[in-house]
Amino acid sequence: MSQNAPPAPSSLKIAFAQLNPIVGDLAGNEQKLLDARAEAAAAGADLIVFPELFYTGYPPEDLVLKPAFHTAARTRVEALAARLGPGPGVLVGTVWPEGGAIYNAAVLLDGGTVAAVRFKADLPNYGVFDEKRVFTAGDLPSPIAFRGVRIGAPICEDIWKDEVTECLAECGAEILIALNGSPFDWKKPDVRMNVAVARVIETGLPLAYVNQVGGQDELVFDGASFVVNADCTLAAQLPAWEEQIAITEWTRSESGWICAKGPMPRLTEGDAAAYHACVLGLRDYVDKNRFPGVVLGLSGGIDSALVAAMAVDALGPGRVHAVMMPYRYTSGQSIADATACAEALGIRLDTVPIEPAVAGFAEALAPMFAGRPPDIAEENIQSRTRGVVVMAISNKFGAMVLTTGNKSEMSVGYATLYGDMNGGFNPVKDLYKLEVYRLARWRNANVPKGGQGPAGEVIPESIITRVPTAELRENQTDQDSLPPYEILDDILSCLVEKEMPVADVIQRGHDPDVVRKVERLLYLAEYKRRQAAPGVKISSRNFGRDRRYPITNRFRE
């Protein structure tokens, strides 16, 4: 041991800051860091750890390549290190330019300096991740020496394979602390835990997994940070869907460092987790982009009812404005259901009949349409008129328009461009129709954590049990154009999430003509999806970041 090295401590207090940064808000994220450090200091922490790229916000995408941005990130972090007073060391993720390259880095601020910098070695380049586009991969990292303890600081993807953590262990790391920006999907919590346990088994070291929480455009991060001891037991679990600074206590034993058992909140799973993800993603998109509230068309159907409920849970009833836009094909049942839903949620509901506007378009187009029977063109005028109404309300009052198309409809193009697709965000974009029904039933039986809506039945049962219809013509139902959703959703899941060959989908018992029709519609609707509003990603393969198909595409199986 060097004569200048501090003595090895027998105990440590490590704070884990599961927080919600904003991309590009360097000053705001820094203040959150300072506030969290003060809280950790008051609790006697030796070290506080923040998630991946917390200082800059994650993911910053091509903002990383902007010289003014990456230069400011490093300059501000260095200045921050110099002015931090006595107290906990800070291990934080940030963008770090060096030697003409730009790195995804973990930096240790301690003793008035940037005491250590480690670069992410394994840059993901799949699904929603595109880090090789903007970052340079670092070399395999060595441990960070922190007050007599050797800490390995892998960054997110670095723990999904064994190379980085094995290198850290071989170089003498005593504790692994992984900084993460790991977005949620249905299966991700279990997958993360399995990955962490695998790294613990391979290295024989305890591993702390520090994840961010919050929404960033399509992505939503659930937090749910945790610590696994070297014996693979869960030592600490932070809650999902909320910010928290957790203090963990560590002691050195003959076999290595051990984290004392902490609180173990039960994590949400399945439909509950998906609902929380949609609400958090919507709340942060609205609030981080500084919209005063939202406006949506409330049709009396299941999709808009669920979106209205999510909006109220995210923002409160006072920031949600619903509009009913009836036409001659709108049933009395739809009007009654929309009214009951708005009353149950406690939101404002205005009625704007679209008959005069649709008649005006029909009159203007009559000379050109003469001699042709009414068809989808006239149906789409209704939808586009409604799109004009909600956009006008948005322009006049500033609220953002929510669009409400589910993944089943977006998959096959059962939506109208510049009509019901109008909007700035769609919280149910990655939910298949049957999942929409399940989440509606879940919400009627539960209030989500932090939800601002009322308890009880907020989506009338008549909306859930009613045959779905767009009501663009007399006696229309969705199944006039589409297979039953039980069939459609299974086919789509096979084609989208699993990329199964058509022959294999047919072998599941589906009608070959139906499968080929759905495949054809899936390809043809790509041009619509490219123009669709962003929406919360909750599946393993959403439209947009995960699935990038060409619009012009003649391939068919």
Side-chain angles (χ1 to χ4, degrees):
M1 181 182 292
S2 167
Q3 291 182 346
N4 295 323
S10 59
S11 64
L12 274 177
K13 276 191 177 182
I14 304 177
F16 297 119
Q18 178 177 289
L19 298 177
N20 186 353
I22 298 177
V23 168
D25 188 4
L26 305 184
N29 296 338
E30 181 177 303
Q31 188 59 54
K32 287 178 79 79
L33 181 153
L34 291 170
D35 293 344
R37 183 177 186 258
E39 182 176 333
D46 301 292
L47 175 69
I48 182 167
V49 183
F50 295 84
E52 177 182 16
L53 293 179
F54 175 83
Y55 193 86
T56 54
Y58 180 81
E61 302 187 71
D62 280 8
L63 189 59
V64 169
L65 301 175
K66 189 175 182 66
F69 177 72
H70 61 243
T71 300
R74 175 165 178 169
T75 300
R76 291 184 64 102
V77 168
E78 290 175 330
L80 173 64
R83 71 174 190 271
L84 284 178
V90 172
L91 184 61
V92 63
T94 188
V95 172
W96 194 264
E98 185 168 301
I102 309 171
Y103 297 95
N104 182 335
V107 299
L108 175 66
L109 313 182
D110 196 31
T113 66
V114 176
V117 181
R118 296 293 183 269
F119 301 140
K120 188 173 184 177
D122 193 350
L123 300 177
N125 201 49
Y126 59 87
V128 301
F129 306 108
D130 203 5
E131 292 193 24
K132 289 182 180 179
R133 175 184 173 89
V134 297
F135 290 118
T136 297
D139 295 330
L140 290 176
S142 59
I144 294 171
F146 173 72
R147 302 182 186 179
V149 182
R150 294 185 300 277
I151 294 174
I155 302 173
C156 205
E157 194 74 12
D158 285 343
I159 73 165
W160 287 72
K161 300 173 186 174
D162 59 10
E163 188 177 19
V164 172
T165 51
E166 284 186 357
C167 177
L168 288 166
E170 290 169 0
C171 292
E174 300 171 78
I175 301 172
L176 299 176
I177 301 179
L179 285 64
N180 297 276
S182 179
F184 170 81
D185 67 44
W186 292 91
K187 300 176 181 178
K188 186 66 73 65
D190 288 340
V191 175
R192 287 190 202 121
M193 184 62 69
N194 291 337
V195 167
V197 169
R199 301 294 86 82
V200 170
I201 291 171
E202 291 159 0
T203 62
L205 298 175
L207 184 148
Y209 187 101
V210 186
N211 194 26
Q212 78 174 51
V213 67
Q216 169 60 28
D217 296 343
E218 300 100 322
L219 302 182
V220 63
F221 301 85
D222 52 324
S225 307
F226 58 86
V227 178
V228 177
N229 271 324
D231 62 359
C232 293
T233 59
L234 185 64
Q237 175 69 67
L238 275 65
W241 315 116
E242 63 183 77
E243 292 186 301
Q244 186 173 100
I245 298 169
I247 307 296
T248 59
E249 299 188 3
W250 299 69
T251 55
R252 187 195 295 271
S253 69
E254 292 183 359
S255 59
W257 286 94
I258 299 172
C259 179
K261 294 288 185 181
M264 298 285 179
R266 184 176 179 180
L267 298 182
T268 53
E269 298 177 328
D271 294 342
Y275 191 92
H276 281 82
C278 293
V279 168
L280 180 56
L282 172 58
R283 177 186 298 132
D284 275 358
Y285 192 85
V286 172
D287 287 345
K288 289 181 179 181
N289 288 292
R290 297 171 176 163
F291 287 102
V294 295
V295 58
L296 75 157
L298 194 62
S299 67
I302 185 69
D303 299 312
S304 62
L306 180 61
V307 170
M310 289 175 171
V312 170
D313 284 328
L315 307 170
R319 297 176 67 191
V320 181
H321 181 187
V323 186
M324 181 67 181
M325 294 167 280
Y327 187 58
R328 65 183 64 168
Y329 303 125
T330 304
S331 68
Q333 183 66 55
S334 294
I335 295 172
D337 285 343
T339 302
C341 183
E343 289 176 350
L345 289 168
I347 59 176
R348 174 181 174 180
L349 176 66
D350 287 311
T351 299
V352 180
I354 64 169
E355 184 89 34
V358 174
F361 280 116
E363 181 179 356
L365 292 166
M368 190 181 302
F369 285 6
R372 293 177 176 269
D375 56 18
I376 193 172
E378 284 78 9
E379 293 179 15
N380 284 343
I381 287 173
Q382 300 168 50
S383 180
R384 291 187 174 119
T385 300
R386 293 184 174 110
V388 169
V389 171
V390 292
M391 288 304 302
I393 294 170
S394 173
N395 290 160
K396 182 63 69 175
F397 300 106
M400 184 189 72
V401 176
L402 291 179
T403 182
T404 62
N406 60 69
K407 192 172 187 177
S408 305
E409 296 170 352
M410 296 306 299
S411 295
V412 296
Y414 194 65
T416 304
L417 273 174
Y418 326 120
D420 57 316
M421 287 179 64
N422 273 7
F425 198 74
N426 181 356
V428 298
K429 182 180 181 180
D430 205 23
L431 290 172
Y432 286 116
K433 188 75 169 188
L434 295 183
E435 293 168 347
V436 168
Y437 281 108
R438 292 208 319 259
L439 264 61
R441 290 200 177 280
W442 182 89
R443 178 56 183 89
N444 276 349
N446 303 272
V447 178
K449 182 189 302 182
Q452 299 182 52
E457 184 179 274
V458 294
I459 300 173
E461 182 67 17
S462 55
I463 291 179
I464 297 174
T465 57
R466 190 177 171 206
V467 175
T469 172
E471 292 190 323
L472 297 177
R473 62 177 181 269
E474 198 72 47
N475 300 318
Q476 181 186 25
T477 70
D478 290 4
Q479 268 57 71
D480 295 342
S481 306
L482 303 174
Y485 284 112
E486 292 81 1
I487 294 172
L488 178 62
D489 286 1
D490 185 68
I491 294 173
L492 288 172
S493 177
C494 292
L495 295 176
V496 177
E497 276 81 6
K498 300 170 185 174
E499 285 287 5
M500 288 174 60
V502 166
D504 290 354
V505 181
I506 293 171
Q507 285 182 358
R508 291 170 65 88
H510 295 298
D511 184 300
D513 290 338
V514 172
V515 174
R516 292 190 181 97
K517 176 185 176 181
V518 171
E519 183 209 27
R520 175 179 171 274
L521 293 173
L522 179 63
Y523 281 132
L524 291 178
E526 186 63 38
Y527 81 100
K528 288 187 177 182
R529 291 191 291 270
R530 291 284 188 95
Q531 301 178 66
V536 177
K537 167 188 160 63
I538 62 167
S539 74
S540 61
R541 203 147 192 250
N542 76 328
F543 290 123
R545 288 175 174 267
D546 280 326
R547 188 179 186 275
R548 307 177 192 183
Y549 268 60
I551 296 173
T552 304
N553 170 24
R554 291 190 179 181
F555 177 78
R556 300 292 186 271
E557 291 185 49

